[in-house]
Amino acid sequence: MNSFRIKSTDIKNNIFIPKYYDPEIENELFRLSNNHNLIKIGTLLQNGILSISTGDEIGKMAYGTGDIPFVRTSDISNWEIKTIPKQGVSQEIFESYNEKQDIQENDILFVKDGTYLIGTNCLVSKLDLPMLYQSHIYKVRVNENELITPHLLFLLLNTEIVQKQIRSFQFTADIIDTIGNRFLEIVLPIPKNNKEALDTSFEVQQMLTDRVKYKAVIKQFPLLMEESLRNGATDNFSEFLSKDLDEILEEMIQDTITLEFGDFSTFSICSSEIKNSIIIPKYYDPSIYDELHDLEKNCELRTIGELTKSGILSLSTGDEIGKMAYGTGTIPFLRTSDFSNWEIKTDVKQGISEEIYNLYKDKEDVQSEDILLVRDGTYLVGSSCMITQYDSKSLFSGGLYKIRTNDSSYLPSYLLLGLLNSYIVKRQIRTKQFTRDVIDTIGKRLDEVLLPIPKSDQMKKIISQQVEDIVQKRIEARENIFSSAIDLMNF
């Protein structure tokens, strides 16, 4: 929109921010009113159809005390919680908040504070429990009724018209943006054709279930991968995938990112073994070398640096295009926080113009099946994702490595993604990261990381296919959910 006028009598609660009164939103809601009931979230709350509450700030001293996830705003992406949230708490701390927070399957977590993240939301699945969540998040529960289901509410929150309202209502409180109680002013366009709406929500439920099942595989993948590499067999993958979701959940590990840092106490090494004057103990973690030795029976151990020098891999970093380029368009500029669970976020934080994209596209040369890996960023270091056909028109920042396989017969790209997400590789990355200035990085030490590449071509093929299925099926479900949100407004 450019400019518009409103009467002074239309000013609400002394709010003088133009975007709050965006006439395009009013016009769109008026158009939808023919086939949709326009109901405010606040009305649903008053009528007992919804329950809304916020989480707690448990204090930084509680971080890292255990492996029960403490979900924060940055842990929600692509309508789900990250498989490995950044912070975990102990059983004791969990129990002190559990009764108050009372998180259940099909609750919706909605980010209320945080500028770009406001409006991000997800449905809680069985896979995410137990957990706690922070105060910057609303927990929304749909109570038993015939008007709306949790999955229909989830779909409505992710329609374009509702997301536009969220952006128009958010405001700055102190040093952070929030939607605050204006969340209750959001108008939900609920289709009058209740049967079609509920049918669509049921379809979305099935799509989300598919995403949850394959998310469970991603969460369990490091253990499945290590077991497969150690035993020289891939039966464990097919056995795991053949189970229904409830059976899978019984086997699930509950962990946070701290598990990647390993578990060792003391050891000694000769002074002659010190490399490049590095005297940080974790760099020489002997348990890693013991595990790599065990894998040599079925795997060929080759460093990323060696693979790059031989031409099997190509590594490059992105560019820092400058903040003035942010928001100039809709082409994604991928940064370290823009992916999780092996995929790019659908709502990438920064977009750039076609003109800026053309300046860098040949140099960065982003292609489908390239892998992005976080080089800089403390907890995010080592996180990786696969570029797909939906993401190839993009640029990426200097804090990321782009890794490309040039010899897919020896090292298929999806096998490489799987190896990068095995514990033995992620633990190596953690031992080699270091602090530079004010941020952690792995820098050029990525070249030192050993990849346990299966000797068996059949094993390579099966693992690669399993990883590709996980990525493609989750993305297919994601795109279908997008389409369903659009269809819901066209009833």
Side-chain angles (χ1 to χ4, degrees), residues 73-229:
T73 58
S74 58
D75 290 320
I76 301 173
S77 175
N78 285 5
W79 310 318
E80 62 189 12
I81 296 169
K82 290 182 179 180
T83 55
I84 307 181
K86 181 177 176 181
Q87 303 295 352
V89 300
S90 65
Q91 184 70 34
E92 181 182 7
I93 292 170
F94 168 74
E95 289 175 356
S96 66
Y97 290 96
N98 181 38
E99 187 174 349
K100 173 182 178 290
Q101 294 204 355
D102 180 34
I103 308 166
Q104 300 178 19
E105 182 185 9
N106 290 333
D107 284 343
I108 294 174
L109 298 185
F110 178 98
V111 176
K112 70 183 185 73
D113 307 324
T115 313
Y116 292 100
L117 293 175
I118 291 174
T120 302
N121 59 85
C122 70
L123 268 165
V124 175
S125 70
K126 289 181 182 178
L127 179 61
D128 305 314
L129 300 173
M131 58 167 276
L132 297 177
Y133 67 104
Q134 72 172 165
S135 64
H136 297 303
I137 296 172
Y138 279 130
K139 182 192 77 178
V140 185
R141 179 172 296 166
V142 177
N143 301 315
E144 291 283 340
N145 71 92
E146 297 180 356
L147 177 65
I148 195 169
T149 66
H151 292 86
L152 179 56
L153 175 59
F154 161 78
L155 201 57
L156 288 167
L157 289 173
N158 288 287
T159 57
E160 185 178 4
I161 184 61
V162 170
Q163 285 292 314
K164 279 184 178 180
Q165 291 179 73
I166 292 167
R167 289 289 166 233
S168 71
F169 290 159
Q170 74 181 68
F171 61 98
T172 302
D174 297 325
I175 58 172
I176 193 171
D177 270 25
T178 183
I179 194 171
N181 287 331
R182 293 182 189 175
F183 177 68
L184 303 179
E185 300 178 34
I186 293 172
V187 176
L188 299 176
I190 303 175
K192 292 178 180 178
N193 188 329
N194 191 251
K195 183 181 183 304
E196 282 196 31
L198 293 179
D199 286 347
T200 299
S201 71
F202 179 75
E203 291 172 3
V204 168
Q205 182 177 357
Q206 299 307 305
M207 297 170 199
L208 286 171
T209 299
D210 287 343
R211 279 183 63 82
V212 168
K213 181 174 181 178
Y214 284 100
K215 173 185 165 184
V217 181
I218 291 174
K219 190 175 181 67
Q220 193 79 354
F221 188 86
L223 292 181
L224 293 171
M225 187 68 165
E226 303 247 334
E227 181 184 351
S228 182
L229 295 175

